[in-house]
Amino acid sequence: MPGKRDKADDDSRHATRRAVPSRFGMDEVLWAAWLYYEEGQKQDKIADQLGISRASVFNLLQKARDEGIVNISIDPSRIARADVALELCELSGLSECYVLPTPQDPATLANEISHLGARVLEARLHADDTIGVAWGRTVLSLSKHLTSMRHPNITVAQITGSAVATFDFSPVLCTTNIADRLSARCVNLHAPGVVSTAQVKDILLNEPEIRNHFTLLQQCTKTIFGVTQLDGETLLEQSGFMSDAALQVYRDLGAVGFAAGYFFDAEGQIVRSEFDERHITMALDDLLNVPERICIGGAPQKVGAIYGMLQARIANVLVTDETTAQSLIDHYKQRT
Amino acid sequence: MPGKRDKADDDSRHATRRAVPSRFGMDEVLWAAWLYYEEGQKQDKIADQLGISRASVFNLLQKARDEGIVNISIDPSRIARADVALELCELSGLSECYVLPTPQDPATLANEISHLGARVLEARLHADDTIGVAWGRTVLSLSKHLTSMRHPNITVAQITGSAVATFDFSPVLCTTNIADRLSARCVNLHAPGVVSTAQVKDILLNEPEIRNHFTLLQQCTKTIFGVTQLDGETLLEQSGFMSDAALQVYRDLGAVGFAAGYFFDAEGQIVRSEFDERHITMALDDLLNVPERICIGGAPQKVGAIYGMLQARIANVLVTDETTAQSLIDHYKQRT
DNA sequence: AGATAGTTATGGCATATGTCAATAACATTA
DNA sequence: TAATGTTATTGACATATGCCATAACTATCT
């Protein structure tokens, strides 16, 4: 019974405290983490050594994991190397492809893909990177799975104007979230995502501040974006980003998907319409010049869109799940 | 009962196997590791998904850990930052210091320090490093704690001639072991560690092959070595590396320790005798020019020797245990 | 001082993990 | 094809871990 703790008890406690009086500055968290993860000691034993209860040791270890003092990570290169990924790379011309085991519960798929996306970004990230960030549920979700890390001189920049519509995965939010986790410089694009006429777009693009932003975007070493299919309900209209009518124009022109600011058809041809003239986003040529163009996304209904995107070369790195990857492989094989 | 497995059973098994038929090339190990470590699923659940027993999942995870597919590591910078380490750095002028919690069982101390040493080396290692390796129990033990890793263009070189005596921690063994684990180029020094006269040493040092080796050593970016005290039995004489008489000469001259090929006294003065003229090892000037000189060692009886070594600036990075670190701090404070 | 609220540490229990000997699956040889 | 050795898989048990309600402690206020 815990209530029994009295002076006698306390004395006996002191006897076991010999090794590590807490006056030592050395972090108990660190201490426990070392003994547990490096030396493989049992929590009981560590509790003895530190003169605390096993439960406390558990708490210390928890803290160590939370604070990133211990890092448990899966070598991402192995995930890329997995057979399905490899086959898809060969068929599609992707330079890299990360494939997640498809979860049993489809509802968690999007979440888990963005989780893997976060790991992939972390693994590929290095000093002096400039990351162009798009917007969308997937990208926002990715930002939440990033563990705080610190590389010198990282820049995170918006590739699309800040949409004004009311939705919780705005370009600004995606960008700031990611920058925050990476302790990076955050460069927002202070312009609307869509304007009313081509003329307004021209005027804006000639504004010095916005011009500078697009110049910065040309320095991008990476971009991150999701991908949407156009059949059925999409968040493009739901979010108020564009009108149903504008979207229908693209559908009528044969577009099947949208990624990183551009529409494309089932064979990877970029589809343009009047809307492009009003959409403030990174120029296509600049986008295609970015060395690492990372697309995060997967779902059965997205397969057609992803295929088109891959053919359009919008992405050269893909993070997806196994079912989607397999469908894509099948898709490619059919065409041969 | 396992014997009961028959066709009926097999069929039911197939039913649960839907998700991951083993025909998929994707590594089950990787798959299990992802589900367990990234998604935090329980082994039971993973077993279901993969259609294998929980015990097998456990085995897969074990394999994943063994093969380094999952990495569990403690941020080494935190260990360096711990208070005792920091204080010792300031007092001694070390550029870095890694301090291990002193284990309860003194018999395991040497082993655990070399374990930490291995982690430290791994953490500091990067592409294009050239590592000068000394010999000794500690260094050999360190080599065994290295986990296989692969950086491009690492070179591992012996800093001392290959001793001919019979002991199991010879320079050659230390070097090859480390090179092997790091998948590095291994450059051995094809000469005895000690020769009979100064003249023989001169002749050897003028041999082109050996000359080249010493030129290579000047390119070292790191050295790794242990440290020995001279009072009591030492492995210097036990190993047949040098005679009792030769060692006594150094003791008489005031030497208290030996590290990285050189003797020094309690205040950090290098102590030389005739033996140095016959000892084939990296030149002292070259040694002191190496940017990272990592000494691995700790024990109550080594404190005096380590103090001398620190004063002699033979090391600028120290890996030790807390008791030793604390004793060193006390030692420094006494002198003020 | 005594009461109060907020924080940290603990005991004990439900669950998850690790171990191992037994057995199945497979490969090899006679 | 049977016998034999080798490796992988498993069920069952012993142990370690994760969790949470509550005790102990601390700081603050009356």
Side-chain angles (χ1 to χ4, degrees):
Chain A
M1 195 180 303
K4 272 198 176 172
R5 168 128 307 137
D6 58 5
K7 278 169 200 166
D9 241 55
D10 242 7
D11 285 353
S12 74
R13 171 70 64 74
H14 264 295
T16 66
R17 246 190 207 170
R18 56 200 146 70
V20 189
S22 54
R23 65 189 125 85
F24 265 133
M26 190 176 201
D27 200 348
E28 279 191 316
V29 178
L30 191 57
W31 196 287
W34 174 271
L35 296 172
Y36 189 75
Y37 286 108
E38 287 290 341
E39 295 191 14
Q41 294 196 20
K42 301 305 171 191
Q43 294 183 359
D44 287 331
K45 205 172 168 190
I46 299 172
D48 282 356
Q49 281 177 66
L50 269 64
I52 55 181
S53 72
R54 198 190 57 72
S56 297
V57 173
F58 172 77
N59 291 331
L60 293 176
L61 293 175
Q62 182 107 325
K63 207 169 171 187
R65 285 183 295 256
D66 290 349
E67 295 181 2
I69 292 169
V70 295
N71 249 327
I72 303 183
S73 61
I74 296 183
D75 179 355
S77 63
R78 310 252 181 171
I79 296 178
R81 240 179 267 133
D83 285 15
V84 196
L86 218 58
E87 192 174 359
L88 186 53
C89 283
E90 280 173 21
L91 288 168
S92 66
L94 280 167
S95 67
E96 233 145 335
C97 178
Y98 299 84
V99 175
L100 172 87
T102 304
Q104 52 306 352
D105 177 4
T108 66
L109 178 62
N111 186 41
E112 294 186 7
I113 289 181
S114 60
H115 181 160
L116 177 57
R119 286 294 110 73
V120 168
L121 177 58
E122 286 170 5
R124 303 182 72 98
L125 195 68
H126 53 74
D128 307 320
D129 264 333
T130 297
I131 310 170
V133 173
W135 56 277
R137 260 194 296 260
T138 313
V139 176
L140 185 69
S141 176
L142 180 150
S143 74
K144 291 178 178 161
H145 284 293
L146 286 169
T147 57
S148 304
M149 57 186 337
R150 186 176 297 279
H151 281 276
N153 193 33
I154 300 284
T155 303
V156 174
Q158 249 173 268
I159 66 172
T160 305
S162 314
V164 283
T166 52
F167 47 114
D168 60 350
F169 42 87
S170 72
V172 178
L173 196 59
C174 291
T175 317
T176 49
N177 262 357
I178 292 177
D180 190 51
R181 293 303 179 98
L182 303 179
S183 316
R185 187 173 329 114
C186 180
V187 185
N188 292 111
L189 174 48
H190 301 296
V194 184
V195 291
S196 52
T197 68
Q199 210 177 5
V200 176
K201 177 173 171 178
D202 283 346
I203 292 168
L204 279 173
L205 291 188
N206 280 314
E207 274 300 299
E209 190 191 334
I210 294 176
R211 229 193 170 101
N212 284 342
H213 189 95
F214 282 95
T215 308
L216 170 68
L217 287 179
Q218 291 174 346
Q219 314 306 318
C220 277
T221 52
K222 294 180 170 59
T223 54
I224 309 271
F225 50 88
V227 53
T228 316
Q229 74 283 16
L230 299 192
D231 48 335
E233 303 253 291
T234 79
L235 52 74
L236 294 175
E237 75 254 33
Q238 280 167 15
S239 64
F241 172 71
M242 65 193 297
S243 67
D244 280 19
L247 186 57
Q248 193 56 45
V249 171
Y250 284 104
R251 287 199 185 105
D252 292 343
L253 288 167
V256 300
F258 175 83
Y262 293 91
F263 291 86
F264 43 83
D265 72 14
E267 292 309 321
Q269 292 301 315
I270 298 293
V271 176
R272 292 183 177 278
S273 86
E274 165 274 342
F275 179 83
D276 286 285
E277 308 302 318
R278 301 187 287 114
H279 185 198
I280 295 187
T281 192
M282 186 170 185
L284 183 61
D285 285 350
D286 291 340
L287 176 69
L288 297 179
N289 264 329
V290 175
E292 297 179 48
R293 307 184 299 281
I294 306 170
C295 175
I296 320 284
Q301 67 274 20
K302 283 182 194 265
V303 172
I306 297 176
Y307 179 86
M309 185 204 62
L310 292 179
Q311 291 298 85
R313 308 265 145 193
I314 293 176
N316 65 353
V317 176
L318 178 67
V319 179
T320 191
D321 72 291
E322 192 188 336
T323 306
T324 306
Q326 194 59 57
S327 304
L328 285 166
I329 290 172
D330 295 344
H331 210 297
Y332 272 101
K333 287 195 169 163
Q334 268 178 23
R335 314 256 146 170
T336 356
Chain B
M1 192 182 305
K4 273 200 175 171
R5 169 128 307 134
D6 57 4
K7 278 168 200 166
D9 241 61
D10 244 6
D11 284 352
S12 76
R13 170 72 64 72
H14 264 294
T16 66
R17 246 190 206 173
R18 58 201 143 67
V20 190
S22 56
R23 65 190 129 86
F24 265 132
M26 191 175 203
D27 201 349
E28 279 191 317
V29 179
L30 189 58
W31 196 287
W34 174 271
L35 296 172
Y36 189 76
Y37 286 107
E38 287 291 340
E39 294 191 15
Q41 294 196 19
K42 303 305 173 190
Q43 294 183 1
D44 288 332
K45 206 172 165 190
I46 299 172
D48 281 355
Q49 282 177 65
L50 270 64
I52 54 180
S53 73
R54 197 192 57 71
S56 296
V57 173
F58 173 78
N59 290 332
L60 293 177
L61 293 174
Q62 181 104 324
K63 205 168 172 188
R65 286 183 294 256
D66 290 348
E67 296 180 1
I69 292 169
V70 295
N71 252 329
I72 303 185
S73 61
I74 297 183
D75 180 356
S77 64
R78 310 250 182 173
I79 296 179
R81 240 179 266 133
D83 285 15
V84 196
L86 218 58
E87 193 175 359
L88 186 53
C89 283
E90 278 170 23
L91 288 168
S92 64
L94 279 167
S95 66
E96 233 145 336
C97 179
Y98 298 84
V99 175
L100 172 86
T102 304
Q104 53 308 348
D105 176 4
T108 67
L109 179 62
N111 186 40
E112 294 186 8
I113 289 181
S114 61
H115 181 161
L116 177 56
R119 287 293 110 74
V120 168
L121 177 58
E122 285 171 6
R124 303 181 73 98
L125 195 68
H126 53 74
D128 307 320
D129 265 333
T130 297
I131 311 169
V133 173
W135 57 278
R137 260 194 295 258
T138 313
V139 175
L140 184 68
S141 176
L142 180 150
S143 73
K144 291 178 178 161
H145 283 293
L146 286 169
T147 57
S148 304
M149 56 187 336
R150 186 178 296 279
H151 281 276
N153 193 32
I154 301 284
T155 304
V156 174
Q158 250 173 267
I159 66 172
T160 305
S162 314
V164 283
T166 52
F167 48 115
D168 62 350
F169 40 88
S170 71
V172 178
L173 196 57
C174 291
T175 316
T176 50
N177 262 355
I178 293 177
D180 189 50
R181 291 304 179 100
L182 303 179
S183 315
R185 188 174 328 115
C186 180
V187 185
N188 291 111
L189 175 48
H190 302 297
V194 184
V195 291
S196 52
T197 68
Q199 209 176 5
V200 176
K201 177 175 172 178
D202 282 347
I203 292 166
L204 279 174
L205 291 189
N206 280 315
E207 274 300 300
E209 189 189 335
I210 294 176
R211 226 189 172 106
N212 284 342
H213 190 95
F214 282 96
T215 307
L216 170 68
L217 287 179
Q218 291 174 346
Q219 313 307 318
C220 277
T221 52
K222 295 179 168 61
T223 54
I224 309 270
F225 50 89
V227 53
T228 316
Q229 75 282 17
L230 299 192
D231 49 333
E233 301 253 293
T234 78
L235 52 74
L236 294 175
E237 75 254 35
Q238 280 166 15
S239 64
F241 172 72
M242 64 194 296
S243 67
D244 280 20
L247 185 58
Q248 194 55 47
V249 172
Y250 283 104
R251 288 200 184 102
D252 292 344
L253 289 166
V256 301
F258 174 83
Y262 293 90
F263 292 86
F264 44 82
D265 72 15
E267 293 308 321
Q269 292 300 315
I270 298 293
V271 176
R272 293 184 176 276
S273 85
E274 165 272 343
F275 179 81
D276 285 285
E277 309 301 318
R278 301 189 286 113
H279 185 196
I280 296 187
T281 194
M282 189 171 182
L284 183 60
D285 285 350
D286 292 338
L287 176 69
L288 297 179
N289 264 330
V290 176
E292 297 179 49
R293 307 184 299 282
I294 306 169
C295 175
I296 319 284
Q301 67 275 19
K302 284 182 192 268
V303 172
I306 296 177
Y307 179 85
M309 183 203 61
L310 293 178
Q311 292 297 85
R313 307 266 144 190
I314 293 177
N316 66 352
V317 176
L318 178 66
V319 178
T320 191
D321 73 292
E322 192 189 336
T323 307
T324 306
Q326 194 59 56
S327 304
L328 285 166
I329 290 172
D330 295 346
H331 209 296
Y332 272 101
K333 287 193 169 162
Q334 269 179 23
R335 313 258 146 166
T336 354

